Amino acid sequence: MSDTISIQEALIYVMVITSASDASMTDSELATMGEVVKTLPVFKGYESANVLPAAQRCGERLQAETGLTDVLGLIADILPVHLFDTAYALAVEVAAADLGVSKEELRILQLLRDRFSLDKLTVAAIERGAIARHKTA
């Protein structure tokens, strides 16, 4: 992975690998990604029109033989440590968007937890927050 990407693009890559992990990017997941980019401060100044091209670049990288490993490494290299929990929270948000988390999404979340060395309390808080936000009446 010789090319570098922006912090915002690395966060988009996190959401893409989570959404695409089960070979299906649902409308709910795509809508969540779009909403996140429009509303979170970490994306301030990032053009929402750049989301689709970034997602496509991520998809292209994933096609390589060691694509997922390379993309995970690139993300970890680009993101500052203080945004590791933010990246994990975005992955959880995308995974929860369609009100069900697949085993493939769970595997990506595990890979991210390990790559980012997130502690159990942080992970539990992020996951519990997503559960609370996605409950239905």
Side-chain angles (χ1 to χ4, degrees), residues 74-121:
L74 178 63
I75 290 166
D77 288 346
I78 296 298
L79 289 179
V81 173
H82 76 274
L83 289 180
F84 284 178
D85 57 350
T86 301
Y88 186 74
L90 296 180
V92 169
E93 202 62 32
V94 168
D98 49 14
L99 304 179
V101 180
S102 70
K103 65 180 181 182
E104 295 86 1
E105 290 169 329
L106 289 172
R107 179 68 184 134
I108 292 295
L109 293 174
Q110 178 66 52
L111 291 170
L112 291 169
R113 284 192 303 267
D114 293 346
R115 179 67 65 148
F116 297 152
S117 300
L118 295 174
D119 66 86
K120 290 180 182 188
L121 287 177

Side-chain angles (χ1 to χ4, degrees), residues 12 18 44 55 63 65 87 91 103 106 115-116 133 135:
I12 290 167
T18 304
K44 185 177 180 180
Q63 298 305 312
E65 187 175 330
K103 65 180 181 182
L106 289 172
R115 179 67 65 148
F116 297 152
R133 280 189 302 284
K135 280 188 179 176

Side-chain angles (χ1 to χ4, degrees), residues 39-82:
T39 58
L40 290 185
V42 74
F43 288 102
K44 185 177 180 180
Y46 188 82
E47 291 294 326
S48 58
N50 293 330
V51 174
L52 183 57
Q56 290 170 331
R57 285 189 295 277
C58 180
E60 290 167 8
R61 289 174 185 264
L62 289 169
Q63 298 305 312
E65 187 175 330
T66 57
L68 180 58
T69 301
D70 293 345
V71 167
L72 287 168
L74 178 63
I75 290 166
D77 288 346
I78 296 298
L79 289 179
V81 173
H82 76 274

